[in-house]
Structures are given as C-alpha cells and as structure tokens.
Amino acid sequence: MRVAIQGDIGQPVYHVGDEAMAHAAVAELAARGVRDVVLLTRDIAHTHAHFGTHLEAARTLTFPWEPVDRERYLGEIKAVMAGDKDALPPHDQVFAVIETLRTVDALLIAGGGNMNSRYGWLLYERAAMAHIAIALGKQVVIGGQTIGPRLSDTDRGTLANLLRNASLVGLREDHSLALARELAPGHTGLRTCLDDAVILPDPTAPEANVEGIPAGPWIAATIASPEPGIDRNAAALAYARLLDAAATHLDCPIVLLAHMSTPGAHDGDEAFHSDIARHLSAPATQPPIMDALTTAALTRRAGAVVTSRYHPVVFAGAAGIPAVAIAPDEYSHVRLTGALDRFGLDAPVPSLADLMDAPTLDPAWLAPLDADPGAPTDLDAAQAAWWDTVVAALGSTQGRTAKLARHWMRSRRHDLRRLQERVTRR
C-alpha cells in the first residue's frame, strides 16, 4: 500500500509539534509494514533533510490567506475535479498535486489543530486534498485533530464536507468529538484518540549534543509569543514570575526550549524566550531551536514542564512528568485541557490574562508540580490499537465505490450547471 501523508511540514518557520506528528505517522505506518509513503510538504529539500532522502516528498497545496480567496480557489479545484480543466490555468499547482495523489492508494491527513477559521488556509488545503483524493478513488483517513472552536458559517460547511470525506477521523478532545458529531451527524468513523506524537522515535542521547543542558533535574519551559494587542513586556514579566516560582518550588534551573522559530533568525519562541529571560532570577539556559525528535526527547527527560504550547504537555504526559499549562486564548484552552484530560490529569489551566492580572500567583497553578502522574500504563496499547485501526482504514475499500458514485453525480450536476450558465450568457 502506498500512502500520501499530509502534515504541515517544510515551513520556513520550523514547528516542532507539526513536524513531530509527521514523524510519528511515518514511524507508525512503517511499524505496520507501510513504508511506501509520500510526504506532502512545502519544501522538499527541508523535508528530506529532516526525514531522510529515502522517503519520497512532493509539494502540497498552498492556499490563499484571505477567506474569499481560499473559498474561490477551493471551488475552482472542485470544478477541475468535476471535469472542467479550464477552471484553473494549466500551470496551477493543483495539477501536480493531482498527479501525486493519482500514484497513491490512500491519503492520511496527519494530526493537528488547524481545522478552524483561525488557520483557515490550512483547513482549506486539507479539504482540497481530501476532495481530490476521493475524486480519484482513494481512501481518506484523518489523524488526531483538534477542530474548532472558532468557525465561520462557511468554514463550518467546509469542515463538515472534509469530515464526511474521511472514513476514519481521530479527535484529540471530547470537545472536538462533540463538534465533529454536530457537523457530521451519523458519521460512524469518528473516534477519540491521543495525539499522534505521543510516541516518537527517540534519538540517541540528545543531551550530549546540546550545550548547556543541566546534568541534574531541570524545568523545560516553552512559551509562545503573545498575540498582537497584548503587552509583550507585561506578558514576559508574568511568565517570568511563574517560571521563577516553579524553579524555586523545585529547586532546579530552567531550559527554554523553542517550539516555533526560524532556525538562525532568533524569532518566534526564541525571541520571546529572550524577553522572558531578561526578567528571570532563576538560572536559565536558552539553546537555539532543535529538531522535533530531539526537542521531544529532551522534554521527556526534564523534571517538569511549564508551557503555553500544546505538544510539551503531550511529551510530558507521555513520560509521566508534571506539567503546568497556561492558555493564552480560548483555542489554547481547549487543546491544553483536552491534552491533560487524555492523560487523566485534572490540573488547572489559567489564562494568560489571569497570570498577568493576578497580584500574586495562585498556589493551585503550581500544584501540578507536586504531582507524580507517572507514565500511563496503557499508553503503548492505546496507540497501537489506534494505529492498527488507521492502517486498516487506509487499506479498506469499504465505502469507496459509494463515494465515487456520489462524486460522479456531483460532477454531472456541476457540468449541467455550467452548460446552463453558458447558454444563458449567450
């Protein structure tokens, strides 16, 4: 079986979580005998550098950012798949993507948190890839996702169609499962699951290659830059106060691990970590951003995690490490509380506003540091069962004939409408 894997990889701004989920998909498929994969990426050379040249890579679609433009482009792609080759110029990127998907048996949309209006261009990219795959008679499976919470009316319809095009959909939180059931009622393939990157290949002794990693226990801290409109310095000061309290509580230093930055540019997390470090009293180390597997391995070996990002909580939960999570916004709150819940951790998730406004830290915010959650005993079994289900769905032909029949009918209706429009214009 040959599978195309759609992640969000090959970006100029390296994103540890997105790359980690793609690494997990490659490893889990290979463990089940599926080694013939095509990684859909924004930069083929970048992906070969991080995943190896033994894996095939091909360009994915790039969608416009503006809602009206991405909606129009998705419509044009659907018209092409309905038989109207003139709906887009011959040099358009979609025709190369169609040929790539024509060579595979199935499409796996790897896990993520981009099926919402906040990241609408990524939602539409996935909707288009699934539509093309279905039109070509391929199976579509969606890995562990957060969907929503913010969706425009148009984006709700696009997401609903995307969910219906997949035979199996993994949802990372109960909130996402409930929303998926609302959008695609009667869909029998909706499942709860852990994040794709819970179990990752572990590079050998990454500490040996990272300067400044303390020999003893330390806190892995990963903090995202605040959204526009939030006082950056005040946010840095609030996070520094929390990190100093955590370091004092555990009597250990801090390592600031970036999850989203352009390598060598000192932007993104790296830049904001520098802002935080200027306010810290506790000893702190700030290495440059590292690849996903090394970052995950280091996080799993820390004494505790303090973060406003999603995947450090996943790495901590899988390793049985205490985690303190801060939610900068509603989107982050849904994901962070969902991740903690999946590991059976009932920990408070204060907002950044709470942290900035509080005259003193609430002791409950640091309470998770005293917990000894321990690694979940059924983690390996749960992930093995999920990926067994994914591979079975990717190889299944059940429902494919019916989907093709529905697509054929839609195509014929589309052709009839275009013919009627042309006659009317004449």
Side-chain angles (χ1 to χ4, degrees), residues 242 324-328 333 336 347-355 364-365:
L242 177 68
V324 172
I326 307 297
H333 190 269
L336 291 169
V349 181
S351 68
L352 174 57
D354 292 336
L355 194 64
W365 297 346

Side-chain angles (χ1 to χ4, degrees), residues 32-85:
R32 289 156 181 80
V34 183
R35 296 181 177 83
D36 187 4
V37 300
V38 182
L39 291 168
L40 299 168
T41 176
R42 307 201 184 288
D43 186 324
I44 293 173
H46 179 284
T47 294
H48 278 155
H50 287 280
F51 288 81
T53 55
H54 64 289
L55 294 176
E56 187 176 342
R59 293 278 301 182
T60 186
L61 290 171
T62 300
F63 259 75
W65 284 38
E66 291 296 329
V68 65
D69 294 329
R70 65 192 186 225
E71 290 162 16
R72 182 188 65 249
Y73 189 42
L74 178 58
E76 290 166 342
I77 290 173
K78 288 183 175 181
V80 167
M81 299 312 297
D84 184 2
K85 304 304 182 186

Side-chain angles (χ1 to χ4, degrees), residues 283-347:
T285 301
Q286 186 187 351
I289 191 166
M290 293 168 279
D291 66 84
L293 297 182
T294 300
T295 302
L298 285 172
T299 304
R300 290 195 295 257
R301 295 170 197 180
V305 167
V306 178
T307 185
S308 69
R309 287 198 176 277
Y310 175 82
H311 273 99
V313 171
V314 171
F315 302 152
I321 299 169
V324 172
I326 307 297
D329 48 40
E330 180 192 8
Y331 168 71
S332 299
H333 190 269
V334 167
R335 299 199 306 157
L336 291 169
T337 55
L340 291 167
D341 183 64
R342 281 287 174 263
F343 292 109
L345 303 176
D346 184 19

